[in-house]
Amino acid sequence: MEMATLGIPSPAAKLTPRFSFRLRARNLTFRVRCSAEAAPGTATEEEGPVTPSRLPNSLISAANVQKALRGVAITEVDHYGRLGISRGTSYDQVIVAYEKKCEELMNKELDEEEMKEELELLKESYAILSSEDERRLYDWSLSRSERPDRYVWPFEVDITQTPKGTPPPQEPEDVGPTRLVGYFLLAWLVLSVVLSITLNIQ
């Protein structure tokens, strides 16, 4: 069973030139290309971005935002576990994990109905974790439901705002000059106390 017939985006290197996709600036842009064996009366080649329709199982709703505000989980589904990745995984790695899971599923000996059900579950998790808005709400809900006593702002769990790369190394503290200034101030304090006592006695 071909992945293209089930509506699954696959790596362009493993397909005949029917479907290919690429990632552009965190938003998935699908490019559809008809093969040369197109049916008569259809265009032999058509290429252009395909705008995905609104997800039927979208998490974005006023009710889910209210749940997240109260610290209630908006879904019981573990989308990260379904794709076999951890939180904080980059959008590029989400695509890689999705393709890997699809390939593993294709290698299993499942009947067509069962295969479609499993693929629909993978597509649902992929659609949520590859969309910035969907994933931001999902991650926020996870953080709020895990610790409802501590409020977490949405930007705190948004992976697009977390610093990428290692932080710069800290400069070593100048212990010697700091200690010298401390000794100088201590000597000045002792000397001023001694002088004030001496002057008061006289």
Side-chain angles (χ1 to χ4, degrees):
M1 180 182 299
E2 291 186 7
M3 296 175 71
T5 59
L6 296 172
I8 305 169
S10 304
K14 298 180 182 177
L15 282 179
T16 56
R18 287 194 180 174
F19 291 94
S20 64
F21 67 88
R22 62 195 181 97
L23 185 69
R24 181 195 299 165
R26 299 195 196 105
N27 292 326
L28 278 179
T29 302
F30 290 91
R31 294 198 170 272
V32 179
R33 179 174 299 171
C34 299
S35 65
E37 302 89 33
T42 59
T44 55
E45 184 168 326
E46 180 182 339
E47 185 174 320
V50 176
T51 306
S53 59
R54 180 76 175 175
L55 293 174
N57 46 14
S58 174
L59 299 177
I60 299 175
S61 67
N64 282 342
V65 172
Q66 289 295 328
K67 286 182 180 179
L69 284 169
R70 295 195 307 268
V72 178
I74 61 177
T75 179
E76 298 298 326
V77 179
D78 181 11
H79 292 292
Y80 287 105
R82 190 180 280 173
L83 292 183
I85 56 178
S86 59
R87 283 196 225 172
T89 303
S90 67
Y91 289 95
D92 293 340
Q93 290 302 313
V94 169
I95 299 173
V96 173
Y98 170 68
E99 292 173 351
K100 182 180 177 183
K101 285 289 183 181
C102 287
E103 288 179 6
E104 290 175 0
L105 193 61
M106 291 297 176
N107 294 331
K108 293 181 180 178
E109 295 181 359
L110 301 173
D111 57 19
E112 187 173 349
E113 195 63 33
E114 198 175 356
M115 175 92 59
K116 281 186 178 180
E117 289 178 5
E118 293 290 329
L119 287 173
E120 284 300 320
L121 295 177
L122 289 177
K123 285 167 69 174
E124 176 190 5
S125 297
Y126 169 73
I128 288 172
L129 297 182
S130 62
S131 166
E132 285 188 20
D133 295 331
E134 299 278 347
R135 185 172 179 179
R136 186 180 295 120
L137 179 59
Y138 178 64
D139 286 348
W140 185 39
S141 168
L142 289 178
S143 298
R144 290 286 295 125
S145 59
E146 287 170 356
R147 295 189 58 187
D149 55 323
R150 177 184 175 271
Y151 188 81
V152 177
W153 294 94
F155 69 85
E156 293 183 77
V157 295
D158 185 3
I159 69 163
T160 62
Q161 298 190 30
T162 54
K164 297 183 171 51
T166 56
Q170 292 185 347
E171 301 243 346
E173 188 179 353
D174 294 330
V175 178
T178 304
R179 190 174 294 163
L180 186 62
V181 170
Y183 287 152
F184 176 76
L185 291 176
L186 181 62
W188 179 266
L189 179 64
V190 170
L191 182 61
S192 61
V193 170
V194 171
L195 282 176
S196 64
I197 292 174
T198 306
L199 290 174
N200 285 336
I201 291 177
Q202 295 175 354

